[in-house]
Amino acid sequence: MSRFSKDIELTEKEKLKSVFPQCFVEGKLDIDKLLNLCGEYIDNDFEKYKFEWKGKSDCYKIAGKRSTGTLRPCKEESVNFDTTQNLYIEGDNLEVLKLLQTAYFRKIKMIYIDPPYNTGNDFVYEDDFKDPIEKYKEVTQQTTKSNPETMGRYHTNWLNMMYPRLRLASNLLRDDGVIFISIDDNEVHNLRKLCDEVFGEENFLAQIVWQKKYAATNDSKGFSTTHDYIVVYQKSSEFNRNLLPRTAELNEPYKNDDGDGRGLWRSDNILVKSYTANRVYPIVNPNTGEKFFPPEGKCWRYAPDTMQTMLDENRIYFGKDGKGAPQVKRYLNEVQQGRVPITWWTFEEVGHNDAANKEVQELFGRKAPFDTPKPTTLIEQMLRIGTNKDDIILDFFSGSATTAHAVMQLNAEDGGKRKFIMVQLPEITDEKSEAYKAGYKNICEIGKERIRRAGKKILDCHEAKASRSDDNCHCEEQSDEAIQKNIKLDCYGSIEPRNDNSTLNSQNSKLDVGFKVFKLDTSNLVQWDSTPSDNEDEVVEKFMAMTRTIKADRTDNDIVYEVMLKLGIPLDYPVSRIQINDKKAYSIGENCLVLVCLDYGQNGITPEDIDKMCDLLPAKIVSSEQAFKDDTALSNAYYKLKDRDIEMKLL
C-alpha cells in the first residue's frame, strides 16, 4: 500500500488519455496535437487575454504533489467519536485536501470558505514544495504571520496560497455541487479570476453583497465599508439551487378566506398589456349583470373558456361590495412555495458582524475569543440554497467553526442529517488576545469548544421542544448581567475551556452534535531516512528501522484510519474492534467492508486465522508481512483469499 496520497496528476492524465490516446507519445502529452484535434492551431500569438502572476506554474506543481502525511484520530478531544459522522481536522488545509482526495472525491455537495481577506494583517501561509509536513509543523509553533503591502508581493502571496487549494477543493465537489466564498474589496477581483480558471467562467452563479454592518464607521478615513461579498460558483450545470423560505412580508397580503377550503388569498390584476384578440371579451359580474371590457390596447389574462371556469369556481373577485371591476384571486397554497435568492443580503435577513460576536459571546459566557466571526444565520442561508438534508459540507478555513454550528442548527430546524468537515490550521493565538487570556492556545481549540457548546445548546433546545407541545425554546434568553458575571449557563456548560469531552446524550435524538477530531501528521508507515550521516550506528539504525513497516509510536487506530484514507473509505464509516482467535482486528464499515489485522498474537497470523477472517466476507483484508507466522503462512493466505475473491493489501 502506497504511503502517498492520491496521484491527482496521473488520474487527470489517464482520463485525458482514454479520450485522446493519439495525443500521447511515449507517455507524454503532445499539446500541439491536442489543440489541433480541438480545432485550435498554434499561431505564435502571445498577445492573449490571460491571468498571470509570479509563481502560478509552481501552484500547479504544489497542487499535484502527493502528500506523505496522514490524519491521526484524537478520540479524547472528540464528542461521540464512535457514532458521529462529523469531522474536525487540524492541519494545513493544502495537505488535508490532498489526503481527502481518494475518500471524498466528488462527494461534497457544498463548500463554504472564509479565507484571509488580505487586508495586510491576515495570515497568509507560504507553502513549501520540498517538505510540506515539516513546514506545517514549523508554522504551528509560531505566532501568526501577516502579509503587509510592504512585502512587495502582496497580491502574489495571496494568489499562491489560494490557487492550489481551490484546485484541490474543486475535485471534491459533486457534479451538482456549489462553493460559496466570503471576500472583501481587497481581493474580490482576483478571486473571480481564480474561480473562472478553476471552475470555469460559465459556472459563475453570483456575487452576493452582504450588508455586514448596520451603521457607518464614523472614524473611517475614506468611505465606510458596510458590506462584504460572497462569490458563488457551481461545479457544473447539474447544480440546482433551492428556493428560500417565504417571508412573513411576502405572505402578509394573503388575508382573505372564503371558507371554501382553498385557504388564504389576495386579489390581483386580471389585465395584461400585451394585446391578444381572442382575449378581448366582456366579463359579466354575476352579482349585478354589469359587463366589463378591457381598456383599449389591453386584454384579459385568460381565454374565454378559462375565464368562465374561474367564474364558476368563484376565483374572480368583484370587490368587497360585489360591484367592483373583476380581479383574480391568488391563493397562497397555489403560489410558488419559496422565493428565488437574490444578490443583496441585508443584515435584517441574515445577520451582521455585531450579531455574530454576540452569538459567540453568549456561547462562551464572556467576550468573544475570536475576531470577526460570521453569523450562523448567514451560513444557514447558503445551506438552504445549496444543500439537501443528507449532504456533506466542507469548510477548509473553518476559523471559529461557524459553519459547523450552522449545519447542526439547520439540521435541528428541518430534521436534516447534513454532515460537516471542518479543516483549520492550528494558528497560535497572540498572547495579548482575548482567546489566549481565556486559555485557548490556538484557533482550533476555540473551534472545537464552540462546536461542543453549540451542540449542547442545540441538543438541549431540541429535546426541550420535543417534550413540550409548543415549538418555543427559551434557551437563548440570557440576561446581559448573567453574561457579564461569567456564570455557568444551563445551555452552554462551563465558561472556561473544557477538558471533559464526555458523550452528549443524543442517543434518544436523531441530531448529530458530535465530531471526530483528526490531526495532520507524518505517515504511520516507516520511510527511509535520507538524511546524510557519518555515524555508523545511525546508519545501522536506519536499516533496522526499515525492517518494521509501522512506526513504533503509532496506535492501531492511527493505522486503521490511514488505511481508510488510502482505500478511499470516508472517515465517518464505523470502526469496530473484533477478535480473530487470539488476535485483535478491526472491521471497517457495515458488515465488515474491510478487515485490518496487524496483531501478531502468539505466533503470527496463521492459515486458521485467515479462514476465520474469510468467514466475515470482507472485500479486502489489510495486514503486514511481519504479522504473518512465516512466508508459508503468507503464501497460503494469498491462495485462500484468491479462492474467496477477497483482495489482500500489505502495508
Side-chain angles (χ1 to χ4, degrees):
M1 183 177 292
S2 173
R3 63 184 178 87
F4 294 98
S5 64
K6 182 184 179 76
D7 191 333
I8 302 168
E9 293 176 338
L10 179 61
T11 302
E12 296 299 315
K13 186 185 292 185
E14 289 300 321
K15 284 194 287 186
L16 192 59
K17 195 173 183 179
S18 67
V19 181
F20 299 107
Q22 65 272 44
C23 296
F24 286 82
V25 180
E26 295 182 345
K28 293 186 177 181
L29 174 64
D30 187 330
I31 190 66
D32 290 350
K33 278 188 178 181
L34 180 61
L35 288 172
N36 292 344
L37 281 174
C38 296
E40 298 186 21
Y41 306 96
I42 304 299
D43 56 9
N44 294 322
D45 179 11
F46 294 101
E47 294 182 349
K48 297 178 179 178
Y49 177 80
K50 54 185 177 180
F51 183 39
E52 296 288 347
W53 70 89
K54 183 174 176 57
K56 183 177 181 180
S57 60
D58 286 337
C59 288
Y60 287 98
K61 297 176 183 177
I62 288 171
K65 181 178 173 62
R66 300 169 71 184
S67 177
T68 58
T70 192
L71 300 177
R72 299 178 65 184
C74 185
K75 194 168 184 176
E76 61 273 17
E77 296 182 21
S78 307
V79 173
N80 301 347
F81 186 92
D82 294 326
T83 58
T84 185
Q85 294 184 305
N86 300 317
L87 308 179
Y88 188 96
I89 304 173
E90 292 188 23
D92 167 27
N93 51 20
L94 180 67
E95 292 300 300
V96 173
L97 288 170
K98 291 178 181 180
L99 293 171
L100 296 179
Q101 292 295 309
T102 304
Y104 292 91
F105 183 71
R106 292 190 175 181
K107 290 183 180 177
I108 306 297
K109 179 60 188 299
M110 175 183 142
I111 296 174
Y112 169 70
I113 56 172
D114 185 15
Y117 284 4
N118 209 17
T119 60
N121 299 314
D122 295 292
F123 176 83
V124 176
Y125 182 62
E126 184 178 353
D127 300 309
D128 190 317
F129 185 76
K130 295 179 180 179
D131 195 341
I133 300 294
E134 285 303 315
K135 178 69 173 180
Y136 159 69
K137 288 189 171 184
E138 175 189 331
V139 168
T140 55
Q141 300 303 315
Q142 300 173 0
T143 54
T144 300
K145 298 177 181 177
S146 60
N147 183 39
E149 292 187 66
T150 53
M151 286 185 68
R153 297 181 63 186
Y154 178 64
H155 293 291
T156 298
N157 289 339
W158 190 85
L159 290 168
N160 285 333
M161 180 192 70
M162 290 297 297
Y163 192 56
R165 287 162 174 79
L166 288 176
R167 285 186 63 86
L168 291 166
S170 69
N171 294 337
L172 302 179
L173 273 180
R174 287 167 25 178
D175 288 341
D176 62 345
V178 64
I179 183 170
F180 293 80
I181 308 174
S182 287
I183 200 70
D184 70 354
D185 290 307
N186 289 287
E187 296 291 354
V188 65
H189 52 298
N190 283 329
L191 178 62
R192 284 282 301 272
K193 292 175 184 177
L194 280 182
C195 289
D196 284 346
E197 289 208 11
V198 173
F199 300 101
E201 188 174 354
E202 69 278 7
N203 287 317
F204 168 75
L205 287 179
Q207 183 168 306
I208 298 164
V209 178
W210 167 48
Q211 190 181 16
K212 66 178 181 179
K213 293 181 180 180
Y214 57 83
T217 304
N218 292 327
D219 59 355
S220 177
K221 293 181 180 179
F223 286 81
S224 178
T225 303
T226 58
H227 73 278
D228 276 344
Y229 300 101
I230 302 166
V231 175
V232 190
Y233 279 77
Q234 62 185 6
K235 179 65 177 290
S236 74
S237 58
E238 291 186 26
F239 171 70
N240 290 311
R241 59 98 180 95
N242 299 320
L243 297 174
L244 291 170
R246 290 179 62 85
T247 64
E249 184 180 1
L250 287 175
N251 292 338
E252 196 273 336
Y254 295 85
K255 299 177 179 178
N256 306 301
D257 190 350
D258 295 334
D260 55 6
R262 295 194 185 105
L264 298 173
W265 59 270
R266 68 175 179 86
S267 59
D268 193 13
N269 188 8
I270 204 169
L271 291 167
V272 291
K273 294 180 180 179
S274 56
Y275 180 80
T276 304
N278 70 341
R279 294 189 179 183
V280 177
Y281 54 86
I283 295 178
V284 180
N285 185 332
N287 303 313
T288 64
E290 183 180 359
K291 295 181 179 180
F292 291 90
F293 290 86
E296 186 176 353
K298 295 184 179 181
C299 63
W300 301 123
R301 189 179 297 274
Y302 308 104
D305 291 345
T306 303
M307 180 62 72
Q308 187 57 53
T309 299
M310 296 179 73
L311 285 165
D312 294 341
E313 294 179 352
N314 192 30
R315 288 175 175 266
I316 303 300
Y317 176 60
F318 292 93
K320 289 183 178 180
D321 59 1
K323 300 178 181 180
Q327 293 177 290
V328 65
K329 295 179 181 179
R330 301 291 185 196
Y331 289 89
L332 179 58
N333 61 9
E334 294 177 351
V335 300
Q336 180 173 267
Q337 293 305 301
R339 55 193 173 94
V340 175
I342 62 174
T343 56
W344 167 240
W345 292 6
T346 65
F347 61 76
E348 292 96 342
E349 180 180 10
V350 297
H352 47 62
N353 284 340
D354 285 352
N357 278 303
K358 184 178 180 181
E359 185 175 40
V360 176
Q361 179 178 332
E362 288 179 346
L363 277 178
F364 285 85
R366 64 189 306 154
K367 187 174 180 180
F370 191 86
D371 294 332
T372 62
K374 295 292 186 291
T376 55
T377 45
L378 176 69
I379 313 301
E380 282 186 65
Q381 179 101 314
M382 302 176 206
L383 292 169
R384 289 191 175 94
I385 294 169
T387 71
N388 296 316
K389 292 186 178 182
D390 294 317
D391 291 333
I392 304 175
I393 296 93
L394 169 66
D395 184 344
F396 54 90
F397 284 98
S398 69
S400 65
T402 304
T403 302
H405 188 167
V407 168
M408 295 188 297
Q409 182 63 51
L410 186 57
N411 282 343
E413 292 173 11
D414 68 5
K417 296 182 180 179
R418 298 170 187 84
K419 298 177 280 189
F420 64 73
I421 302 175
M422 301 292 104
V423 183
Q424 176 60 42
L425 184 76
E427 300 173 39
I428 303 298
T429 53
D430 191 288
E431 293 184 5
K432 298 179 181 179
S433 67
E434 288 294 325
Y436 188 89
K437 294 174 184 176
Y440 301 101
K441 305 306 180 187
N442 63 60
I443 291 178
C444 290
E445 291 182 6
I446 301 171
K448 287 178 291 187
E449 182 63 10
R450 179 182 184 171
I451 302 174
R452 295 185 193 107
R453 291 170 182 254
K456 184 179 187 304
K457 172 188 173 184
I458 291 168
L459 188 61
D460 287 349
C461 290
H462 184 71
E463 292 179 346
K465 286 181 182 180
S467 66
R468 297 197 307 269
S469 58
D470 64 274
D471 289 333
N472 296 317
C473 179
H474 305 286
C475 296
E476 295 183 6
E477 295 180 4
Q478 306 290 342
S479 69
D480 290 338
E481 182 181 0
I483 294 171
Q484 291 168 3
K485 289 182 178 179
N486 288 339
I487 66 172
K488 181 176 180 179
L489 305 176
D490 289 341
C491 279
Y492 309 139
S494 58
I495 58 169
E496 297 301 329
R498 297 190 308 163
N499 294 319
D500 174 20
N501 295 303
S502 56
T503 301
L504 292 175
N505 183 23
S506 60
Q507 300 307 312
N508 297 325
S509 169
K510 293 182 180 179
L511 277 180
D512 184 357
V513 295
F515 58 97
K516 292 182 178 181
V517 175
F518 291 89
K519 298 188 178 184
L520 178 66
D521 207 333
T522 56
S523 174
N524 301 297
L525 306 181
V526 174
Q527 53 185 301
W528 173 248
D529 183 359
S530 60
T531 306
S533 175
D534 295 328
N535 188 308
E536 183 177 339
D537 292 337
E538 286 184 4
V539 175
V540 171
E541 178 60 30
K542 288 182 182 181
F543 278 105
M544 291 300 294
M546 294 305 296
T547 63
R548 300 186 296 269
T549 304
I550 300 166
K551 294 177 180 177
D553 62 339
R554 302 302 168 94
T555 68
D556 287 351
N557 272 338
D558 291 337
I559 307 302
V560 168
Y561 281 100
E562 180 161 3
V563 167
M564 292 171 69
L565 281 173
K566 295 294 195 302
L567 295 182
I569 301 173
L571 297 175
D572 62 342
Y573 271 40
V575 175
S576 305
R577 177 173 166 172
I578 59 177
Q579 197 72 23
I580 304 293
N581 296 325
D582 65 331
K583 301 165 185 69
K584 64 178 181 292
Y586 297 87
S587 168
I588 301 173
E590 301 293 342
N591 301 318
C592 196
L593 174 67
V594 174
L595 181 68
V596 180
C597 182
L598 304 168
D599 191 7
Y600 293 66
Q602 293 291 329
N603 302 302
I605 297 175
T606 64
E608 292 75 22
D609 297 329
I610 293 295
D611 287 335
K612 192 167 182 179
M613 292 179 192
C614 289
D615 291 340
L616 296 172
L617 301 178
K620 291 182 176 67
I621 291 177
V622 179
S623 188
S624 65
E625 290 187 30
Q626 295 87 351
F628 284 86
K629 181 178 181 180
D630 49 38
D631 291 343
T632 302
L634 178 57
S635 299
N636 186 283
Y638 269 113
Y639 288 113
K640 284 178 177 287
L641 296 178
K642 185 176 181 181
D643 289 342
R644 301 289 290 270
D645 197 25
I646 298 173
E647 184 181 358
M648 173 176 276
K649 293 281 188 181
L650 294 178
L651 299 176

